[in-house]
Amino acid sequence: MRLKISLLKEPKHQELVSCVGWTTAEELYSCSDDHQIVKWNLLTSETTQIVKLPDDIYPIDFHWFPKSLGVKKQTQAESFVLTSSDGKFHLISKLGRVEKSVEAHCGAVLAGRWNYEGTALVTVGEDGQIKIWSKTGMLRSTLAQQGTPVYSVAWGPDSEKVLYTAGKQLIIKPLQPNAKVLQWKAHDGIILKVDWNSVNDLILSAGEDCKYKVWDSYGRPLYNSQPHEHPITSVAWAPDGELFAIGSFHTLRLCDKTGWSYALEKPNTGSIFNIAWSIDGTQIAGACGNGHVVFAHVVEQHWEWKNFQVTLTKRRAMQVRNVLNDAVDLLEFRDRVIKASLNYAHLVVSTSLQCYVFSTKNWNTPIIFDLKEGTVSLILQAERHFLLVDGSSIYLYSYEGRFISSPKFPGMRTDILNAQTVSLSNDTIAIRDKADEKIIFLFEASTGKPLGDGKFLSHKNEILEIALDQKGLTNDRKIAFIDKNRDLCITSVKRFGKEEQIIKLGTMVHTLAWNDTCNILCGLQDTRFIVWYYPNTVYVDRDILPKTLYERDASEFSKNPHIVSFVGNQVTIRRADGSLVHISISPYPAILHEYVSSSKWEDAVRLCRFVKEQTMWACLAAMAVANRDMTTAEIAYAAIGEIDKVQYINSIKNLPSKESKMAHILLFSGNIQEAEIVLLQAGLVYQAIQININLYNWERALELAVKYKTHVDTVLAYRQKFLETFGKQETNKRYLHYAEGLQIDWEKIKAKIEMEITKEREQSSSSQSSKSIGLKP
């Protein structure tokens, strides 16, 4: 990825340009010390002077009023705030009329920023004051006051906090009084510029120590650049939070959100005092010290999938290369490309007006449909369909270009969604809420309606990243997520009344990805790279989960690596310095998944015998129990030396009725309540009581005996035997009450138990014989 610079031969301004801002993706305004505000039209390459400000107004900063205002959408910004050296800020319309000038600070007003909703304006000045104003320019409050000038300010993503500079310090101050203020030393020189992105919640700062740094919203350092030759005078996040740009003397640099640099350009600009990204995130404008306005387009982005590599060569052209046979295809577009995604044998490209869907089998005839709103901020793909996110909604389309659904939930803000907070599978859409980060909304892909009984998924901690598994049946769909404590959790997506438990898979996990062809999960855990070959093991037999993992050392990936993709048996990891590392994992677990999904148990056993690996046998054991194939489970458990489980499976096989077998399989997986329900529904009350006695659930065993008026003496007898073994006295009031005057006769109890087992056998054989002669039992 690099920047394509365009610069006019002669500057349009006579003095230094202090600030620039986009109204649409093709129109820009610039302000200069020559008191002019100039409009640039990039389609026609024309510039027009909008207004000449009075000679005493030297503009310092300006910011367009936000476009999206509640429900009412404006196609483009209609007014802006301009701060100036005379201590005032000016509200100016798009046509250049000064609507209002407000005395704001003693000394110059160094920065002014609207919040995301457009309901408040923050200004900072040389007098060290931070002031909040209403939309109409009325003073609401003085947020803070300090002894040094405040050079830059930015709103937090929720418009509830303000970040500002104080010499070498950065300060985050909430608007609520008495709320905790966060302050830390960020640079060794005076901090000149800050920016805070609403999508990724990361902070960018730059200063006179010639460095730029990336921080999280708690003030923890994520990246620290090498010193440049000159102080860094401007920084700006791209709208989607994936890239940022920094400007210095004769320098424009494009960087990834993790800090490493994509491209460095050295245009003849003087210092770049201000950088603005276009709304669609495809180009940058810079305000230059020599009167120029520099424009830069982001080109040469790469997308890779299997043997295909797609490169954005120009604004409206892409090159597709098949590395197997070196075949090259050129794709031309009518408008400029904004976003693209390559996955599942399809390339999805959104331009400013249309969406193109290419199949990797045929690059010549794309499916094209018009977009409702041009600026697509995110494209996600699944095997059957893809998701587009724009400024107002989420849309799901099939690869044939047919609109499927558009999920919605209260308070949805699509402009701050990214690949970490939205996930898509063939039947489910998951979205992490921004208002409450502990909640995940789940939707049916086909209808866009909430999944199951409409309940959302709620976790005890804030969730950072979510991912749906891609294969298998809808009922078995699982979602994995990483929370604020860096715990990796997994839970079932289907939620009908019963509260699905959230199970912790690992701790200190920084990044995760599901495989595209089978439900294998990989993640980077502290200094280890881990692959969970069968994450469902946690629901079946948690004891053997460690045996189903693949682990290797990940220290070679340096600090903060990120998993880019997990396609086939290859995992792609991006290191902190931007380099890509490919890891190959064993192909056999994927083949095992395939056999099991097709119920080819004999082939699965044969494969495990061929590979001779404990992880494979452990995965097969868990898969067999999950699919109720106890013969295969017995072989697999024997192979990994779990003799106690082999014996238990043998005892299950000898049970007389189908219901008893089913209940004990559920018991094997730890689903005690479900096992009890199965037995009670089949009328096997004694067996339901017996499993509770075996598990020492004495309260429940007595409760069932009393409720069904049977085997109360059996429960009391077993309880007495249990207490005698441990030399204890009975203290439970319920047991004392029922044991009053009752003589326990073990011979009688054994006879009753024998009778129950005989009855169950007869029931089972009669139902089987009635089936064999075609009668309903």
Side-chain angles (χ1 to χ4, degrees), residues 398-461:
S398 71
Y399 286 115
E400 291 77 49
R402 182 174 54 82
F403 173 73
I404 300 170
S405 65
S406 178
K408 284 181 172 61
F409 60 87
M412 179 169 82
R413 267 185 68 187
T414 55
D415 56 328
I416 52 175
L417 296 176
N418 62 7
Q420 278 72 49
T421 55
V422 187
S423 187
L424 177 69
S425 72
N426 283 338
D427 42 53
T428 313
I429 301 167
I431 303 168
R432 194 215 56 198
D433 190 21
K434 183 68 186 174
D436 182 355
E437 293 183 352
K438 296 175 184 175
I439 286 174
I440 299 172
F441 289 103
L442 300 161
F443 301 95
E444 255 176 58
S446 54
T447 60
K449 290 181 177 150
L451 198 70
D453 53 7
K455 276 190 183 167
F456 46 72
L457 192 158
S458 181
H459 186 50
K460 60 181 188 291
N461 292 321

Side-chain angles (χ1 to χ4, degrees), residues 129-140:
Q129 292 191 338
I130 296 95
K131 293 184 177 182
I132 308 290
W133 308 81
S134 74
K135 192 175 137 186
T136 52
M138 306 295 285
L139 181 64
R140 281 196 191 153

Side-chain angles (χ1 to χ4, degrees), residues 212-232:
Y212 64 89
K213 299 187 183 186
V214 183
W215 314 84
D216 69 6
S217 54
Y218 301 101
R220 293 180 294 218
L222 302 180
Y223 184 82
N224 183 357
S225 80
Q226 292 298 317
H228 288 60
E229 291 172 36
H230 302 281
I232 294 166

Side-chain angles (χ1 to χ4, degrees), residues 116 152 154 163 193-197 202-205 235-238:
Y116 292 100
S152 189
L163 162 76
K193 274 284 192 292
V194 292
D195 198 9
W196 192 346
N197 187 261
L202 298 180
I203 291 166
L204 200 50
S205 65
V235 291
W237 280 109

Side-chain angles (χ1 to χ4, degrees), residues 63 431 484 497 499 535 551 583 600 753:
H63 190 214
I431 303 168
K484 199 170 95 174
E499 189 57 45
E551 269 191 67
I583 300 175
K600 295 179 180 171
I753 292 170

